[in-house]
Amino acid sequence: MQILENRTISLRAPEPEDLDLLYIWENEPSIWQVSGTLFPFSRYILKQYLEHAAKDIYQVKQLRMMIQLISNHRPVGAVDLFDFEPHHRRAGLGILIADPSDRRQGYAREALETMTAYCFDVLHLHQVYCNIAAGNKASIKLFEEAGFQESGRKKEWLFDGSTFEDELLFQKVNA
């Protein structure tokens, strides 16, 4: 098994051919709350992002990998490393499975396993973390089952336009 592959998915760098797909994903209002997005992205901005996506994680402090099915090479989502801190050997991690029909198929679990192994075995990070809305039970379960532990709660951290919600911090430390 390759370092960026699991049972049914592989992780790969974004390609210029992903522009239309990223445009749809980044401009889907139903996921803006999770990503902290407040306005749509233009194709121009996304095209610029793709042109610079190959830059080294040590340079730009972030990395996006496309999650694609091994069987037919269809992209089903993305996994992001952000707030990369090489001195402190940590990074934040986020996962998107874009189409609701692709959720609950195990793709996020495999992407999380694969990216966590990459972080620990290739980037030699000491820990990875994620921030999850307290009401996002599916994500909480996913990260807990992958060995992440809740280590903090930010009270009334997320605002959805009418109410505030707590945000939970989960960490996985490389033993």
Side-chain angles (χ1 to χ4, degrees), residues 19 22 33 36 54 63 67 69 73-74 76 80 82 86 111 113 117 121 133 144 157 164 166-167 171:
L19 177 61
L22 289 174
Q33 183 70 19
L63 173 69
I67 303 167
L69 300 180
H73 304 288
R74 180 174 64 89
V76 295
D80 291 313
F82 58 91
E113 290 171 1
D121 300 339
E144 285 179 336
W157 196 258
F164 285 93
D166 293 356
E167 183 177 78
Q171 293 172 280

Side-chain angles (χ1 to χ4, degrees), residues 111-163:
L112 180 56
E113 290 171 1
T114 305
M115 185 56 92
T116 301
Y118 176 79
C119 287
F120 292 159
D121 300 339
V122 176
L123 297 177
H124 305 289
L125 297 183
H126 176 64
Q127 66 177 284
V128 291
Y129 68 90
C130 64
N131 302 299
I132 305 173
N136 189 340
K137 303 301 182 199
S139 287
I140 291 170
K141 181 180 178 188
L142 170 70
F143 280 87
E144 285 179 336
E145 288 179 352
F148 284 70
Q149 296 180 343
E150 183 180 335
S151 59
R153 176 180 291 261
K154 301 172 204 166
K155 299 284 189 183
E156 299 183 8
W157 196 258
L158 304 171
F159 184 64
D160 69 4
S162 61
T163 61

Side-chain angles (χ1 to χ4, degrees), residues 41-90:
F41 285 89
S42 69
R43 285 184 190 280
Y44 175 76
I45 293 295
L46 291 170
K47 185 176 180 193
Q48 283 185 314
Y49 165 77
L50 287 171
E51 289 170 0
H52 300 292
K55 287 187 177 177
D56 190 272
I57 187 172
Y58 289 89
Q59 204 177 7
V60 295
K61 309 297 187 216
Q62 64 183 12
L63 173 69
R64 171 169 284 182
M65 302 290 274
M66 302 295 286
I67 303 167
Q68 74 177 16
L69 300 180
I70 291 173
S71 62
N72 61 10
H73 304 288
R74 180 174 64 89
V76 295
V79 59
D80 291 313
L81 291 180
F82 58 91
D83 294 342
F84 176 66
E85 288 286 343
H87 176 74
H88 299 291
R89 296 176 46 205
R90 68 176 177 241

